[in-house]
């Protein structure tokens, strides 16, 4: 059996998979974000309860493919640590660690919305923007583990004639105008505030748009306009043919359908079937991706 975990800033979701990829044991515990010994103990207790021969972890943050060092803002006790090596030493078991967005795409490419496609570019539209590229069942990590991180790099610029007309927001990466600032659930809310001067959460905006609210519909339309071109450009660049969507906005089916239409309008080769589609594996994508990544 293999122990798989999806490590987030609030919870660690644990599952033991048998050889037929069935989940035979499951547990969810609060993440000991600042205590490495307690973090290791979560895994030690799990493998003491369910005998496993290997451990696979999906975690938020970058995983450097060369050094194995994790960069994590949400879980300080693993930040800067060669997590796979250190946990393997503590548990005396082989440990594999992958980025959680990569795990999502790997799961969807293997068992979900991306089945049958050679190249799958999955995107996360959640608290922020993330993503990953999977080619024939293999994660394309890129230098420093940034493969698939399409949310950063300035895309939105102010016009010199109307400096306040465009939503050029400061990004957490230190730049401004990144898609991460407008492409997530928080970004949808920022756009709504910028456009209408009104505070609303992303669920109210997407539901309002579906119900015919003019302001919400304008926000959703602008959101799709701003993201549609860059996503199409990504698909051209990497020759991916399907874009499973994860994160909270994946549940906003009308928004995803509108984004899909905007992306397809920008594709050089006409496609008659949906390209941007909700992921099919829900909250278990991270665990399943960790399992698949572990081989
Ligand atoms: Zn940025």
């Amino acid at each position: 059996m293999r122990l798989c975990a999806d490590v987030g800033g609030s919870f660690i979701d644990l599952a033991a998979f048998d050889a037929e990829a069935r989940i035979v044991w499951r547990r969810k515990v609060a993440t000991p974000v600042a205590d490495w010994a307690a973090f290791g103990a979560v895994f030690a207790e799990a493998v003491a309860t369910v005998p496993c021969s290997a451990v696979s972890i999906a975690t938020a943050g970058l995983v450097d493919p060369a050094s194995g060092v994790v960069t994590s803002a949400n879980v300080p006790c693993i930040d800067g640590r060669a997590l796979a090596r250190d946990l393997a030493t503590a548990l005396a078991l082989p440990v594999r660690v992958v980025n959680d967005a990569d795990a999502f795409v790997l799961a969807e490419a293997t068992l979900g919305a991306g089945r049958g496609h050679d190249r799958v570019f999955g995107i996360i539209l959640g608290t922020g923007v993330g993503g990953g590229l999977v080619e024939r069942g293999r994660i394309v990590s890129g230098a420093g583990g940034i493969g698939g991180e399409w949310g950063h790099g300035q895309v939105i610029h102010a016009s010199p004639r109307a400096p306040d007309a465009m939503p050029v927001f400061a990004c957490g990466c230190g730049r401004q105008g990144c898609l991460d600032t407008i492409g997530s659930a928080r970004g949808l809310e920022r756009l709504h505030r910028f456009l209408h001067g009104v505070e609303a959460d992303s669920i109210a905006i997407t539901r309002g748009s579906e119900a015919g609210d003019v302001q919400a519909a304008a926000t959703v339309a602008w959101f799709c306009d701003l993201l549609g071109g860059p996503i199409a450009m990504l698909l051209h660049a990497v020759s991916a043919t399907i874009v499973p969507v994860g994160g909270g906005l994946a549940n906003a089916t009308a928004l995803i359908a509108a984004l899909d239409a905007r992306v397809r309008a920008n594709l050089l080769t006409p496609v008659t079937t949906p390209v941007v589609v909700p992921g099919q594996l829900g909250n278990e994508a991270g665990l399943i991706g960790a399992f698949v990544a572990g081989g």
Side-chain angles (χ1 to χ4, degrees):
M1 281 197 290
R2 187 178 316 135
L3 179 69
C4 296
D6 190 353
V7 175
S10 302
F11 295 99
I12 301 177
D13 206 357
L14 295 151
F17 286 75
D18 69 10
E20 277 77 50
R22 290 176 303 215
I23 293 177
V24 294
W25 176 88
R26 191 88 186 259
R27 186 161 296 172
K28 194 171 186 179
V29 300
T31 307
V33 289
D35 185 342
W36 167 248
F39 186 92
V42 168
F43 290 86
E45 285 166 21
V47 295
T49 307
V50 187
C52 290
S53 56
V55 177
S56 296
I57 297 174
T59 183
L62 297 177
V63 183
D64 189 309
S67 66
V69 170
V70 172
T71 304
S72 172
N74 297 334
V75 188
C77 75
I78 64 171
D79 183 47
R81 187 179 284 278
L83 178 59
R85 183 198 66 195
D86 290 0
L87 204 55
T89 302
L91 300 174
L93 289 172
V95 177
R96 174 90 199 268
V97 177
V98 295
N99 167 266
D100 58 357
D102 288 340
F104 161 79
V105 187
L106 187 58
E108 290 292 340
T110 310
L111 295 166
R115 272 174 302 174
H117 292 262
D118 274 356
R119 290 201 185 103
V120 179
F121 196 96
I123 63 176
I124 309 290
L125 304 178
T127 308
V129 164
L133 174 64
V134 167
E135 184 179 28
R136 292 183 183 162
R138 189 180 61 89
I139 297 167
V140 180
S141 301
I146 61 165
E149 289 289 340
W150 63 291
H152 300 283
Q154 186 166 7
V155 172
I156 302 165
H157 294 262
S159 159
R161 290 191 183 143
D164 298 327
M166 291 298 289
V168 184
F169 302 131
C171 183
C173 75
R175 294 167 183 82
Q176 54 181 6
C178 293
L179 289 178
D180 192 77
T181 65
I182 57 98
S184 61
R186 296 295 88 74
L188 189 68
E189 293 159 4
R190 281 189 203 102
L191 273 183
H192 195 71
R193 193 183 310 128
F194 182 84
L195 198 53
H196 309 296
V198 176
E199 297 288 337
D201 70 30
S202 62
I203 293 171
I205 297 166
T206 55
R207 287 189 181 156
S209 175
E210 289 168 37
D213 179 276
V214 174
Q215 287 191 340
T219 303
V220 169
W222 204 19
F223 176 91
C224 294
D225 283 348
L226 289 169
L227 289 182
I231 293 173
M233 192 181 69
L234 274 170
L235 297 184
H236 293 145
V238 303
S239 295
T241 50
I242 191 81
V243 183
V245 183
L249 288 182
N251 299 317
T253 48
L255 178 143
I256 299 302
L259 180 59
D260 173 61
R262 207 75 194 90
V263 169
R264 283 198 278 151
N266 278 282
L267 291 178
L268 293 172
T269 306
V271 181
T272 54
T273 53
V275 171
V276 181
V277 295
Q280 294 176 350
L281 302 174
N283 292 334
E284 293 195 339
L287 281 174
I288 294 168
F291 176 79
V292 176

